[in-house]
Amino acid sequence: MTTVVGVDLSLTRAGIATISSAAPIRLCSVGAAGLATDNYDDRRERIELQAYEIGKRVGHPDLIVIEGPYYHGQIMPSYFDRAGLFWGLMSTLSRRAPIAVISPTTRAKYATGKGTSKKELVLPAVREMFPAVNIVNHDQGDGLICAALGWQKLGFDLPFTILDRHLLALDAVAWPVNLPLGVSS
């Protein structure tokens, strides 16, 4: 059995998608909004809780594909907190499975063909790629794109025609050195 988990990282609502050779695609979202009045203890607790909830749902797959930071955008006040969540998860999850990191622009390009596509355009594209899957929100759709990239990299079929943009996206992902090629189906 082979399992790939994709994670669209967020403190507010992370999207997690699991593609497995032994089960249908599973999607979920976890998280809660913080408050402008949150102090450092509140923010730390929120990051810890989100890391725990994501880790619980990721489990122990063969490969994890996580959306990395967006280095070229406007830095928002929550960026520091999200970076803490990212590195905390990278440290924790790397003990369970190899981790690939995908940029937000590569994720968007894989789904729509354009790296600058907004989430409002990505979600319908993902729903078209996976018509049999009930994708509730853009976070789940983004997580599914992450998982699909990993699934494709491992050599498994997806329910849509692989286009040039999908092949080009594979080259743009930071794949782990210990990629589990040749895992059983």
Side-chain angles (χ1 to χ4, degrees):
M1 178 180 83
T2 302
T3 303
V4 175
V5 176
V7 180
D8 172 46
L9 197 57
S10 170
L11 283 162
T12 305
R13 190 175 65 198
I16 303 166
T18 304
I19 301 178
S20 173
S21 57
I25 292 173
R26 290 174 298 159
L27 305 174
C28 68
S29 305
V30 296
L35 302 172
T37 57
D38 283 353
N39 61 34
Y40 282 101
D41 284 334
D42 296 329
R43 292 163 61 191
R44 177 191 45 76
E45 288 175 6
R46 182 172 169 228
I47 292 167
E48 288 173 351
L49 178 61
Q50 185 67 336
Y52 171 77
E53 293 296 334
I54 292 170
K56 184 168 65 173
R57 285 160 179 83
V58 166
H60 292 82
D62 297 289
L63 177 64
I64 300 166
V65 182
I66 190 167
E67 184 178 290
Y70 183 61
Y71 289 112
H72 307 290
Q74 180 181 0
I75 303 299
M76 299 174 60
S78 62
Y79 187 80
F80 187 69
D81 293 353
R82 188 178 183 278
L85 176 63
F86 174 82
W87 287 111
L89 277 173
M90 289 288 288
S91 297
T92 301
L93 297 178
S94 66
R95 295 183 190 106
R96 301 183 193 182
I99 300 175
V101 180
I102 178 176
S103 72
T105 54
T106 299
R107 182 220 0 106
K109 188 170 188 171
Y110 188 87
T112 68
K114 188 174 180 185
T116 57
S117 293
K118 302 291 182 205
K119 289 187 179 275
E120 296 77 27
L121 297 175
V122 172
L123 180 57
V126 179
R127 285 178 172 152
E128 188 175 318
M129 294 164 74
F130 292 90
V133 179
N134 180 26
I135 305 168
V136 176
N137 55 51
H138 64 80
D139 305 295
Q140 291 180 1
D142 291 351
L144 185 52
I145 289 298
C146 293
L149 266 158
W151 197 247
Q152 181 183 340
K153 179 70 174 180
L154 296 182
F156 293 100
D157 291 332
L158 289 162
F160 53 87
T161 302
I162 301 299
L163 304 173
D164 286 342
R165 73 175 189 243
H166 302 129
L167 297 172
L168 291 171
L170 287 177
D171 294 334
V173 175
W175 296 107
V177 192
N178 55 342
L179 189 66
L181 296 176
V183 289
S184 62
S185 57

